[in-house]
Coordinates of all heavy atoms in Angstrom, one line a residue:
M14 N 20.2 16.5 -3.4 CA 18.7 16.4 -3.7 C 18.4 15.0 -4.3 O 17.3 14.5 -4.1 CB 18.4 17.5 -4.7 CG 16.9 17.7 -4.9 SD 16.0 18.1 -3.4 CE 15.8 19.8 -3.5
L15 N 19.3 14.4 -5.0 CA 19.1 13.1 -5.6 C 18.9 12.1 -4.5 O 18.0 11.2 -4.6 CB 20.3 12.7 -6.5 CG 20.2 11.3 -7.1 CD1 19.0 11.1 -8.0 CD2 21.5 10.9 -7.8
A16 N 19.7 12.2 -3.4 CA 19.5 11.3 -2.3 C 18.1 11.3 -1.7 O 17.5 10.3 -1.3 CB 20.6 11.5 -1.2
L17 N 17.6 12.5 -1.6 CA 16.2 12.7 -1.0 C 15.2 12.0 -1.9 O 14.3 11.3 -1.5 CB 15.9 14.2 -0.9 CG 14.5 14.5 -0.4 CD1 14.3 14.0 1.0 CD2 14.3 16.0 -0.5
F18 N 15.3 12.3 -3.2 CA 14.4 11.6 -4.2 C 14.5 10.1 -4.2 O 13.5 9.4 -4.2 CB 14.6 12.2 -5.6 CG 13.9 13.5 -5.9 CD1 14.6 14.7 -5.7 CD2 12.6 13.5 -6.2 CE1 14.0 15.9 -6.0 CE2 11.9 14.7 -6.4 CZ 12.6 15.9 -6.3
Q19 N 15.7 9.6 -4.1 CA 15.9 8.2 -4.0 C 15.3 7.6 -2.7 O 14.7 6.5 -2.7 CB 17.4 7.8 -4.2 CG 17.9 8.0 -5.5 CD 19.4 7.7 -5.6 OE1 20.1 7.8 -4.6 NE2 19.9 7.4 -6.8
T20 N 15.5 8.3 -1.6 CA 14.9 7.8 -0.4 C 13.4 7.8 -0.4 O 12.7 6.8 0.1 CB 15.4 8.7 0.8 OG1 16.8 8.7 0.8 CG2 14.9 8.2 2.1
I21 N 12.8 8.8 -0.9 CA 11.3 8.9 -1.1 C 10.8 7.8 -2.0 O 9.8 7.1 -1.7 CB 10.9 10.3 -1.5 CG1 11.1 11.3 -0.5 CG2 9.4 10.3 -1.9 CD1 10.9 12.8 -0.9
D22 N 11.6 7.6 -3.1 CA 11.2 6.5 -4.0 C 11.3 5.1 -3.4 O 10.4 4.3 -3.6 CB 12.1 6.6 -5.3 CG 11.7 5.7 -6.4 OD1 10.5 5.7 -6.8 OD2 12.5 4.9 -6.8
L23 N 12.3 4.9 -2.6 CA 12.5 3.7 -1.9 C 11.4 3.4 -0.9 O 10.8 2.3 -0.8 CB 13.8 3.6 -1.2 CG 14.1 2.4 -0.3 CD1 14.2 1.1 -1.2 CD2 15.4 2.5 0.5
A24 N 11.0 4.5 -0.2 CA 9.9 4.4 0.8 C 8.6 4.0 0.1 O 7.8 3.2 0.5 CB 9.8 5.6 1.6
L25 N 8.3 4.7 -1.0 CA 7.1 4.4 -1.8 C 7.1 3.0 -2.4 O 6.1 2.3 -2.4 CB 6.9 5.4 -2.9 CG 6.6 6.8 -2.5 CD1 6.6 7.8 -3.6 CD2 5.2 6.9 -1.8
N26 N 8.3 2.6 -2.8 CA 8.4 1.2 -3.3 C 8.2 0.2 -2.2 O 7.5 -0.8 -2.4 CB 9.8 1.0 -3.9 CG 9.9 -0.3 -4.7 OD1 8.9 -0.9 -5.1 ND2 11.1 -0.7 -4.9
L27 N 8.7 0.4 -1.0 CA 8.5 -0.5 0.1 C 7.1 -0.6 0.5 O 6.5 -1.6 0.8 CB 9.4 -0.2 1.3 CG 10.9 -0.4 1.1 CD1 11.6 0.1 2.3 CD2 11.1 -1.9 1.0
Y28 N 6.4 0.6 0.5 CA 5.0 0.7 0.9 C 4.1 0.0 -0.2 O 3.1 -0.7 0.2 CB 4.5 2.1 1.0 CG 3.2 2.2 1.7 CD1 3.2 2.1 3.1 CD2 2.0 2.4 1.1 CE1 2.0 2.2 3.8 CE2 0.8 2.5 1.7 CZ 0.8 2.4 3.1 OH -0.4 2.4 3.8
T29 N 4.5 0.0 -1.4 CA 3.8 -0.8 -2.5 C 3.8 -2.2 -2.1 O 2.8 -2.9 -2.2 CB 4.5 -0.5 -3.8 OG1 4.4 0.9 -4.1 CG2 3.8 -1.3 -4.9
W30 N 5.0 -2.8 -1.7 CA 5.1 -4.2 -1.4 C 4.3 -4.5 -0.2 O 3.7 -5.6 -0.1 CB 6.6 -4.6 -1.3 CG 7.2 -4.7 -2.7 CD1 8.1 -3.8 -3.2 CD2 6.9 -5.6 -3.7 NE1 8.4 -4.2 -4.5 CE2 7.7 -5.3 -4.8 CE3 6.1 -6.7 -3.8 CZ2 7.6 -6.0 -6.0 CZ3 6.0 -7.5 -4.9 CH2 6.8 -7.1 -6.0
V31 N 4.3 -3.6 0.8 CA 3.6 -3.9 2.0 C 2.1 -3.9 1.7 O 1.3 -4.7 2.2 CB 3.9 -2.8 3.1 CG1 2.9 -2.8 4.3 CG2 5.3 -3.0 3.6
L32 N 1.6 -3.0 0.8 CA 0.2 -3.0 0.4 C -0.2 -4.3 -0.3 O -1.2 -4.8 -0.1 CB 0.0 -1.8 -0.5 CG -1.4 -1.3 -0.8 CD1 -2.1 -1.0 0.5 CD2 -1.4 -0.1 -1.7
I33 N 0.7 -4.8 -1.2 CA 0.4 -6.0 -1.9 C 0.4 -7.2 -0.9 O -0.5 -8.0 -1.0 CB 1.5 -6.2 -3.0 CG1 1.3 -5.2 -4.1 CG2 1.4 -7.7 -3.6 CD1 2.4 -5.2 -5.1
A34 N 1.3 -7.2 0.1 CA 1.4 -8.2 1.1 C 0.1 -8.2 1.9 O -0.5 -9.2 2.3 CB 2.6 -8.1 2.0
S35 N -0.4 -7.0 2.2 CA -1.6 -6.9 3.0 C -2.8 -7.4 2.3 O -3.7 -8.1 2.9 CB -1.8 -5.4 3.4 OG -3.0 -5.2 4.1
A36 N -2.9 -7.1 1.0 CA -4.0 -7.6 0.2 C -4.0 -9.2 0.1 O -5.0 -9.8 0.3 CB -3.9 -7.0 -1.2
I37 N -2.8 -9.7 -0.1 CA -2.7 -11.2 -0.2 C -3.0 -11.8 1.2 O -3.7 -12.8 1.3 CB -1.3 -11.6 -0.7 CG1 -1.1 -11.2 -2.1 CG2 -1.0 -13.1 -0.5 CD1 0.3 -11.4 -2.6
F38 N -2.5 -11.2 2.2 CA -2.8 -11.7 3.6 C -4.3 -11.7 3.9 O -4.9 -12.6 4.4 CB -2.1 -10.9 4.6 CG -2.2 -11.4 6.0 CD1 -1.4 -12.3 6.5 CD2 -3.2 -10.9 6.8 CE1 -1.6 -12.8 7.8 CE2 -3.4 -11.3 8.1 CZ -2.6 -12.3 8.6
S39 N -5.0 -10.6 3.4 CA -6.4 -10.5 3.7 C -7.2 -11.6 2.9 O -8.2 -12.1 3.4 CB -7.0 -9.1 3.3 OG -6.9 -8.9 1.9
W40 N -6.7 -11.9 1.7 CA -7.4 -13.0 1.0 C -7.1 -14.4 1.7 O -8.1 -15.2 1.8 CB -6.8 -13.1 -0.5 CG -7.1 -11.9 -1.3 CD1 -8.1 -11.0 -1.2 CD2 -6.4 -11.5 -2.4 NE1 -8.0 -10.1 -2.2 CE2 -7.0 -10.4 -3.0 CE3 -5.2 -12.0 -3.1 CZ2 -6.5 -9.7 -4.1 CZ3 -4.8 -11.4 -4.2 CH2 -5.4 -10.2 -4.7
L41 N -5.9 -14.6 2.1 CA -5.6 -15.9 2.8 C -6.4 -16.0 4.1 O -6.9 -17.0 4.4 CB -4.1 -16.0 3.1 CG -3.2 -16.1 1.9 CD1 -1.7 -16.0 2.3 CD2 -3.5 -17.3 1.1
Y42 N -6.6 -14.9 4.8 CA -7.3 -14.8 6.0 C -8.8 -15.1 5.7 O -9.5 -15.8 6.5 CB -7.1 -13.5 6.7 CG -7.7 -13.4 8.1 CD1 -7.0 -14.0 9.2 CD2 -8.9 -12.9 8.3 CE1 -7.5 -13.9 10.5 CE2 -9.4 -12.8 9.6 CZ -8.7 -13.3 10.7 OH -9.3 -13.3 11.9
A43 N -9.3 -14.5 4.7 CA -10.8 -14.6 4.4 C -11.1 -16.0 4.0 O -12.2 -16.5 4.3 CB -11.1 -13.6 3.3
F44 N -10.2 -16.7 3.3 CA -10.5 -18.1 2.8 C -10.0 -19.1 3.8 O -9.9 -20.3 3.4 CB -10.0 -18.3 1.4 CG -10.6 -17.4 0.4 CD1 -9.9 -16.5 -0.3 CD2 -12.0 -17.6 0.1 CE1 -10.6 -15.7 -1.3 CE2 -12.6 -16.8 -0.8 CZ -11.9 -15.8 -1.5
N45 N -9.6 -18.7 5.0 CA -9.2 -19.7 6.0 C -8.0 -20.5 5.6 O -7.9 -21.7 5.9 CB -10.3 -20.6 6.5 CG -11.3 -19.8 7.4 OD1 -10.9 -18.9 8.1 ND2 -12.5 -20.2 7.3
V46 N -7.1 -20.0 4.8 CA -5.9 -20.7 4.4 C -4.9 -20.6 5.5 O -4.1 -21.6 5.7 CB -5.3 -20.1 3.0 CG1 -4.0 -20.7 2.7 CG2 -6.3 -20.2 1.9
I47 N -4.8 -19.5 6.2 CA -3.9 -19.4 7.3 C -4.7 -19.5 8.6 O -5.9 -19.2 8.7 CB -3.1 -18.1 7.3 CG1 -4.0 -16.9 7.1 CG2 -2.1 -18.1 6.1 CD1 -3.3 -15.6 7.1
N48 N -4.0 -19.9 9.7 CA -4.7 -20.1 11.0 C -4.7 -18.8 11.7 O -3.7 -18.2 12.1 CB -3.9 -21.1 11.8 CG -4.5 -21.5 13.1 OD1 -5.6 -21.0 13.4 ND2 -3.8 -22.3 13.9
S49 N -5.9 -18.3 11.9 CA -6.1 -17.0 12.5 C -5.8 -17.0 14.0 O -5.7 -15.9 14.6 CB -7.5 -16.4 12.2 OG -8.5 -17.3 12.8
S50 N -5.8 -18.2 14.6 CA -5.5 -18.2 16.1 C -4.1 -18.3 16.4 O -3.7 -18.2 17.6 CB -6.3 -19.4 16.7 OG -5.8 -20.6 16.1
N51 N -3.2 -18.4 15.4 CA -1.8 -18.4 15.6 C -1.3 -17.0 15.9 O -1.7 -16.0 15.3 CB -1.1 -18.9 14.3 CG 0.4 -19.1 14.4 OD1 1.0 -18.5 15.3 ND2 1.0 -19.9 13.6
Q52 N -0.5 -16.9 17.0 CA 0.0 -15.6 17.5 C 0.8 -14.9 16.4 O 0.7 -13.7 16.3 CB 0.8 -15.8 18.8 CG 1.2 -14.5 19.4 CD 0.1 -13.7 19.9 OE1 -1.0 -14.2 20.3 NE2 0.2 -12.4 19.9
F53 N 1.7 -15.6 15.7 CA 2.5 -14.9 14.7 C 1.7 -14.4 13.6 O 1.9 -13.3 13.1 CB 3.6 -15.9 14.2 CG 4.5 -15.3 13.1 CD1 5.4 -14.4 13.4 CD2 4.3 -15.7 11.8 CE1 6.2 -13.8 12.4 CE2 5.1 -15.2 10.8 CZ 6.0 -14.2 11.1
V54 N 0.8 -15.2 13.1 CA -0.1 -14.8 12.0 C -0.9 -13.6 12.4 O -1.1 -12.6 11.6 CB -1.0 -16.0 11.6 CG1 -2.1 -15.5 10.6 CG2 -0.2 -17.1 11.0
N55 N -1.4 -13.6 13.6 CA -2.2 -12.5 14.1 C -1.3 -11.2 14.2 O -1.8 -10.1 13.9 CB -2.8 -12.8 15.5 CG -3.9 -11.9 15.9 OD1 -4.4 -11.2 15.1 ND2 -4.3 -12.0 17.1
S56 N -0.1 -11.4 14.7 CA 0.8 -10.2 14.7 C 1.1 -9.6 13.4 O 1.1 -8.4 13.2 CB 2.1 -10.6 15.4 OG 1.9 -11.0 16.7
V57 N 1.4 -10.5 12.4 CA 1.7 -10.0 11.0 C 0.4 -9.3 10.5 O 0.5 -8.3 9.9 CB 2.1 -11.2 10.1 CG1 2.1 -10.8 8.7 CG2 3.4 -11.7 10.6
G58 N -0.7 -9.9 10.7 CA -2.0 -9.3 10.2 C -2.2 -7.9 10.8 O -2.6 -7.0 10.1
M59 N -2.0 -7.8 12.1 CA -2.2 -6.5 12.8 C -1.2 -5.5 12.3 O -1.5 -4.3 12.1 CB -2.1 -6.7 14.3 CG -3.3 -7.4 14.9 SD -4.9 -6.6 14.5 CE -4.7 -5.0 15.3
F60 N 0.0 -5.9 12.1 CA 1.0 -5.0 11.5 C 0.6 -4.5 10.2 O 0.7 -3.3 9.9 CB 2.4 -5.7 11.5 CG 3.4 -4.9 10.7 CD1 4.0 -3.7 11.3 CD2 3.8 -5.2 9.4 CE1 4.9 -3.0 10.6 CE2 4.7 -4.5 8.7 CZ 5.3 -3.4 9.2
L61 N 0.3 -5.4 9.3 CA -0.1 -5.0 7.9 C -1.4 -4.1 8.0 O -1.5 -3.1 7.2 CB -0.4 -6.2 7.1 CG 0.9 -7.0 6.7 CD1 0.5 -8.3 6.0 CD2 1.8 -6.2 5.9
Y62 N -2.3 -4.4 8.8 CA -3.5 -3.6 8.9 C -3.2 -2.2 9.4 O -3.7 -1.2 8.9 CB -4.5 -4.3 9.9 CG -5.8 -3.5 10.1 CD1 -6.8 -3.5 9.2 CD2 -5.9 -2.7 11.2 CE1 -8.0 -2.8 9.4 CE2 -7.1 -1.9 11.4 CZ -8.1 -2.0 10.5 OH -9.2 -1.2 10.7
N63 N -2.4 -2.1 10.5 CA -2.0 -0.8 11.1 C -1.2 0.1 10.1 O -1.2 1.3 10.2 CB -1.3 -1.0 12.4 CG -2.2 -1.5 13.5 OD1 -3.4 -1.3 13.4 ND2 -1.6 -2.2 14.4
V64 N -0.4 -0.6 9.3 CA 0.4 0.2 8.3 C -0.4 0.7 7.1 O -0.2 1.8 6.7 CB 1.6 -0.7 7.9 CG1 2.4 0.0 6.8 CG2 2.6 -0.9 9.1
T65 N -1.3 -0.1 6.6 CA -2.0 0.2 5.4 C -3.3 1.0 5.6 O -3.8 1.7 4.8 CB -2.3 -1.0 4.5 OG1 -3.0 -2.0 5.3 CG2 -1.0 -1.6 4.1
E66 N -4.0 0.7 6.7 CA -5.3 1.3 7.0 C -5.4 2.8 7.0 O -6.4 3.4 6.5 CB -5.9 0.7 8.2 CG -7.4 1.0 8.4 CD -8.3 0.4 7.3 OE1 -7.9 -0.5 6.6 OE2 -9.4 1.0 7.1
P67 N -4.4 3.5 7.5 CA -4.5 5.0 7.5 C -4.6 5.6 6.1 O -5.2 6.6 6.0 CB -3.2 5.4 8.2 CG -2.9 4.3 9.1 CD -3.3 3.1 8.4
L68 N -4.0 5.0 5.1 CA -4.1 5.5 3.8 C -5.3 4.9 3.0 O -5.8 5.5 2.1 CB -2.8 5.3 3.0 CG -1.6 6.1 3.5 CD1 -0.4 5.8 2.7 CD2 -1.9 7.6 3.4
L69 N -5.7 3.7 3.4 CA -6.9 3.1 2.7 C -8.2 3.6 3.2 O -9.2 3.7 2.4 CB -6.8 1.6 2.8 CG -5.7 0.9 2.1 CD1 -5.6 -0.6 2.5 CD2 -5.7 1.1 0.6
R70 N -8.3 4.0 4.4 CA -9.6 4.4 5.0 C -10.2 5.6 4.3 O -11.4 5.6 3.9 CB -9.4 4.7 6.5 CG -10.8 4.9 7.2 CD -10.6 5.1 8.7 NE -9.9 4.1 9.3 CZ -8.8 4.2 10.0 NH1 -8.3 5.4 10.2 NH2 -8.1 3.2 10.6
P71 N -9.4 6.7 4.0 CA -10.0 7.8 3.3 C -10.5 7.5 1.8 O -11.5 8.0 1.3 CB -8.9 8.9 3.2 CG -7.9 8.5 4.2 CD -8.1 7.0 4.4
I72 N -9.7 6.6 1.2 CA -10.1 6.1 -0.1 C -11.4 5.3 -0.1 O -12.3 5.5 -0.9 CB -9.0 5.3 -0.8 CG1 -7.8 6.1 -1.0 CG2 -9.5 4.7 -2.1 CD1 -6.5 5.4 -1.4
R73 N -11.6 4.5 0.9 CA -12.8 3.7 1.1 C -14.0 4.6 1.4 O -15.1 4.3 1.0 CB -12.7 2.7 2.2 CG -11.8 1.6 1.9 CD -11.8 0.5 3.0 NE -10.8 -0.5 2.6 CZ -9.8 -0.9 3.4 NH1 -9.7 -0.4 4.6 NH2 -9.0 -1.9 3.0
R74 N -13.8 5.7 2.1 CA -14.9 6.7 2.3 C -15.4 7.3 1.1 O -16.6 7.6 0.9 CB -14.5 7.7 3.3 CG -14.6 7.3 4.7 CD -14.5 8.5 5.7 NE -13.4 8.2 6.6 CZ -12.3 8.9 6.9 NH1 -12.2 10.1 6.3 NH2 -11.4 8.5 7.7
V75 N -14.5 7.6 0.1 CA -14.9 8.2 -1.1 C -15.5 7.3 -2.1 O -16.5 7.6 -2.8 CB -13.7 8.9 -1.7 CG1 -14.0 9.5 -3.1 CG2 -13.1 10.0 -0.8
L76 N -15.0 6.0 -2.2 CA -15.5 5.1 -3.2 C -16.9 4.6 -2.8 O -17.3 4.4 -1.7 CB -14.6 3.9 -3.2 CG -13.2 4.1 -3.8 CD1 -12.4 2.8 -3.7 CD2 -13.3 4.5 -5.3
P77 N -17.7 4.3 -3.9 CA -19.0 3.7 -3.6 C -18.9 2.3 -3.2 O -17.9 1.6 -3.4 CB -19.8 3.9 -4.9 CG -18.6 3.9 -5.9 CD -17.5 4.5 -5.3
N78 N -20.0 1.8 -2.5 CA -20.0 0.4 -2.1 C -20.1 -0.5 -3.3 O -21.0 -0.5 -4.1 CB -21.1 0.1 -1.2 CG -21.1 -1.2 -0.5 OD1 -20.2 -2.0 -0.8 ND2 -22.1 -1.5 0.3
L79 N -19.1 -1.4 -3.5 CA -19.1 -2.3 -4.7 C -19.4 -3.7 -4.2 O -19.0 -4.7 -4.9 CB -17.7 -2.3 -5.4 CG -17.3 -0.9 -5.9 CD1 -15.9 -1.0 -6.5 CD2 -18.3 -0.5 -7.0
G80 N -20.1 -3.9 -3.2 CA -20.4 -5.2 -2.7 C -19.3 -5.7 -1.8 O -18.8 -5.0 -1.0
G81 N -18.8 -6.9 -2.1 CA -17.7 -7.5 -1.4 C -16.3 -7.2 -2.0 O -15.3 -7.7 -1.5
I82 N -16.2 -6.3 -3.0 CA -15.0 -6.1 -3.7 C -14.4 -4.8 -3.1 O -15.0 -3.7 -3.1 CB -15.2 -5.9 -5.2 CG1 -15.8 -7.2 -5.7 CG2 -13.9 -5.6 -5.9 CD1 -16.2 -7.1 -7.2
D83 N -13.1 -4.9 -2.7 CA -12.4 -3.7 -2.2 C -11.4 -3.3 -3.2 O -10.4 -4.0 -3.3 CB -11.8 -4.0 -0.8 CG -11.1 -2.8 -0.2 OD1 -11.4 -1.7 -0.6 OD2 -10.3 -3.0 0.7
V84 N -11.6 -2.2 -3.9 CA -10.6 -1.7 -4.9 C -9.7 -0.6 -4.3 O -8.9 -0.1 -5.1 CB -11.4 -1.2 -6.1 CG1 -12.1 -2.4 -6.8 CG2 -12.3 -0.1 -5.8
S85 N -9.9 -0.3 -3.1 CA -9.0 0.8 -2.5 C -7.5 0.5 -2.6 O -6.8 1.5 -2.9 CB -9.4 1.1 -1.1 OG -9.3 0.0 -0.3
P86 N -7.0 -0.7 -2.4 CA -5.6 -0.9 -2.6 C -5.1 -0.7 -4.1 O -4.1 -0.1 -4.3 CB -5.4 -2.4 -2.3 CG -6.5 -2.8 -1.4 CD -7.7 -1.9 -1.9
I87 N -6.0 -1.0 -5.0 CA -5.6 -0.7 -6.4 C -5.6 0.8 -6.7 O -4.6 1.3 -7.3 CB -6.6 -1.3 -7.4 CG1 -6.6 -2.9 -7.2 CG2 -6.4 -0.9 -8.8 CD1 -7.7 -3.6 -7.9
I88 N -6.5 1.6 -6.1 CA -6.5 3.0 -6.2 C -5.3 3.6 -5.6 O -4.6 4.5 -6.1 CB -7.8 3.6 -5.6 CG1 -9.0 3.1 -6.2 CG2 -7.8 5.1 -5.6 CD1 -9.2 3.4 -7.7
L89 N -4.9 3.1 -4.4 CA -3.7 3.6 -3.7 C -2.4 3.2 -4.5 O -1.5 4.0 -4.6 CB -3.6 3.0 -2.3 CG -2.5 3.5 -1.4 CD1 -2.5 5.1 -1.3 CD2 -2.6 2.9 0.0
L90 N -2.4 2.0 -5.1 CA -1.2 1.7 -5.9 C -1.1 2.6 -7.1 O 0.0 3.0 -7.5 CB -1.3 0.2 -6.4 CG -1.0 -0.8 -5.3 CD1 -1.3 -2.2 -5.8 CD2 0.4 -0.7 -4.8
L91 N -2.2 3.0 -7.7 CA -2.2 3.9 -8.8 C -1.7 5.3 -8.4 O -1.0 6.0 -9.1 CB -3.6 4.0 -9.5 CG -4.1 2.8 -10.3 CD1 -5.5 3.0 -10.7 CD2 -3.2 2.6 -11.5
I92 N -2.2 5.7 -7.2 CA -1.7 7.0 -6.7 C -0.2 7.0 -6.4 O 0.5 8.0 -6.8 CB -2.5 7.4 -5.4 CG1 -4.0 7.7 -5.7 CG2 -1.9 8.6 -4.7 CD1 -4.9 7.8 -4.5
I93 N 0.3 5.9 -5.8 CA 1.7 5.8 -5.6 C 2.5 5.8 -6.9 O 3.5 6.5 -7.0 CB 2.0 4.5 -4.8 CG1 1.5 4.7 -3.3 CG2 3.5 4.2 -4.8 CD1 1.6 3.4 -2.5
F94 N 2.0 5.1 -7.9 CA 2.7 5.1 -9.2 C 2.7 6.5 -9.8 O 3.7 6.9 -10.4 CB 1.9 4.1 -10.2 CG 2.5 4.1 -11.5 CD1 3.7 3.4 -11.8 CD2 1.9 4.7 -12.6 CE1 4.2 3.4 -13.1 CE2 2.4 4.7 -13.9 CZ 3.6 4.1 -14.1
F95 N 1.6 7.2 -9.7 CA 1.5 8.5 -10.2 C 2.5 9.5 -9.5 O 3.2 10.3 -10.2 CB 0.1 9.1 -10.1 CG -0.1 10.5 -10.4 CD1 -0.1 10.9 -11.8 CD2 -0.2 11.5 -9.5 CE1 -0.2 12.2 -12.1 CE2 -0.3 12.8 -9.8 CZ -0.3 13.2 -11.2
V96 N 2.6 9.4 -8.2 CA 3.5 10.2 -7.4 C 4.9 9.9 -7.8 O 5.8 10.8 -8.0 CB 3.3 10.0 -5.9 CG1 4.4 10.6 -5.1 CG2 1.9 10.6 -5.5
R97 N 5.3 8.6 -8.0 CA 6.6 8.2 -8.3 C 7.0 8.8 -9.7 O 8.0 9.3 -10.0 CB 6.8 6.7 -8.3 CG 6.9 6.2 -6.8 CD 7.0 4.7 -6.8 NE 8.4 4.4 -7.2 CZ 8.8 3.1 -7.5 NH1 7.9 2.1 -7.3 NH2 10.0 2.9 -7.8
S98 N 6.0 8.6 -10.7 CA 6.2 9.1 -12.0 C 6.4 10.6 -12.1 O 7.2 11.2 -12.8 CB 5.1 8.7 -13.0 OG 5.0 7.3 -13.1
L99 N 5.5 11.3 -11.3 CA 5.6 12.8 -11.2 C 6.9 13.2 -10.6 O 7.5 14.2 -11.1 CB 4.4 13.3 -10.4 CG 4.3 14.8 -10.2 CD1 3.9 15.4 -11.5 CD2 3.4 15.1 -9.0
M100 N 7.3 12.5 -9.6 CA 8.5 12.9 -8.9 C 9.8 12.7 -9.9 O 10.6 13.7 -10.0 CB 8.7 12.0 -7.7 CG 9.9 12.3 -6.9 SD 10.0 11.3 -5.4 CE 10.3 9.7 -6.0
W101 N 9.9 11.7 -10.6 CA 11.0 11.4 -11.4 C 11.0 12.1 -12.8 O 12.0 12.5 -13.3 CB 11.3 10.0 -11.6 CG 11.8 9.3 -10.4 CD1 11.2 8.4 -9.6 CD2 13.1 9.6 -9.8 NE1 12.0 8.1 -8.5 CE2 13.1 8.8 -8.6 CE3 14.2 10.4 -10.1 CZ2 14.2 8.8 -7.8 CZ3 15.3 10.4 -9.3 CH2 15.3 9.6 -8.1
N102 N 9.8 12.3 -13.4 CA 9.7 12.8 -14.7 C 9.4 14.3 -14.7 O 9.7 15.0 -15.7 CB 8.6 12.1 -15.5 CG 8.9 10.6 -15.7 OD1 10.1 10.3 -15.8 ND2 7.9 9.8 -15.7
S103 N 8.8 14.9 -13.7 CA 8.4 16.3 -13.7 C 9.2 17.1 -12.8 O 9.7 18.2 -13.1 CB 6.9 16.4 -13.4 OG 6.2 15.8 -14.4
I104 N 9.3 16.6 -11.5 CA 10.0 17.5 -10.5 C 11.5 17.3 -10.5 O 12.2 18.3 -10.5 CB 9.4 17.1 -9.1 CG1 7.9 17.4 -9.0 CG2 10.2 17.9 -8.0 CD1 7.3 16.9 -7.8
F105 N 12.0 16.1 -10.6 CA 13.5 15.9 -10.5 C 14.2 16.6 -11.7 O 15.3 17.1 -11.5 CB 13.8 14.4 -10.4 CG 15.3 14.2 -10.2 CD1 15.9 14.6 -9.1 CD2 16.1 13.7 -11.2 CE1 17.3 14.4 -8.9 CE2 17.4 13.5 -11.1 CZ 18.0 13.9 -9.9
P106 N 13.7 16.5 -12.9 CA 14.5 17.1 -14.0 C 14.6 18.7 -13.8 O 15.5 19.3 -14.3 CB 13.7 16.8 -15.3 CG 13.0 15.6 -15.0 CD 12.7 15.6 -13.5
L107 N 13.6 19.3 -13.2 CA 13.6 20.7 -12.9 C 14.7 21.0 -11.8 O 15.3 22.1 -11.8 CB 12.3 21.2 -12.5 CG 11.2 21.1 -13.5 CD1 9.9 21.6 -12.9 CD2 11.5 21.9 -14.7
V108 N 14.9 20.1 -10.9 CA 15.8 20.3 -9.8 C 17.2 20.1 -10.2 O 18.2 20.8 -9.8 CB 15.4 19.4 -8.6 CG1 16.5 19.6 -7.5 CG2 14.1 19.8 -8.0
A109 N 17.4 19.0 -11.1 CA 18.8 18.6 -11.5 C 19.4 19.5 -12.5 O 19.4 20.5 -12.9 CB 18.7 17.2 -12.0

């Protein structure tokens, strides 16, 4: 059972870093720091968008419009932190 919890925790940790990378990439793209016509940059951007958008879209539907500020990645990071804390502090001690 420990291996399952560690694998889920690793996946959530990796997704956290992908989410942070996606946010940084979107800032760099918005301020024209990176070349959007570059094939590699475009591929990385599409990968990050396709990986993060399925979980960010429902959060964006619920949140009110805050102008140009997108807080959905922060909300998702808080949810991931909550799930990881719940998993290790509440569920795992009951299983072990």
Side-chain angles (χ1 to χ4, degrees):
M14 192 58 99
L15 177 63
L17 176 65
F18 278 97
Q19 287 176 336
T20 304
I21 293 170
D22 187 53
L23 177 65
L25 290 173
N26 191 21
L27 288 174
Y28 195 80
T29 298
W30 287 108
V31 168
L32 193 60
I33 291 169
S35 177
I37 291 172
F38 184 86
S39 71
W40 295 337
L41 294 175
Y42 189 83
F44 294 118
N45 289 326
V46 175
I47 54 177
N48 186 4
S49 60
S50 62
N51 186 338
Q52 183 67 29
F53 177 74
V54 170
N55 197 14
S56 297
V57 170
M59 287 305 297
F60 169 77
L61 292 173
Y62 177 81
N63 290 334
V64 170
T65 58
E66 190 62 23
L68 291 178
L69 291 175
R70 189 177 307 124
I72 296 171
R73 287 187 185 124
R74 273 192 237 128
V75 173
L76 290 176
N78 188 4
L79 299 174
I82 301 172
D83 184 18
V84 294
S85 58
I87 296 169
I88 302 296
L89 185 56
L90 286 173
L91 288 173
I92 292 169
I93 290 172
F94 177 75
F95 174 76
V96 168
R97 288 178 71 190
S98 296
L99 179 73
M100 185 174 66
W101 286 112
N102 296 328
S103 299
I104 298 172
F105 185 70
L107 297 175
V108 175

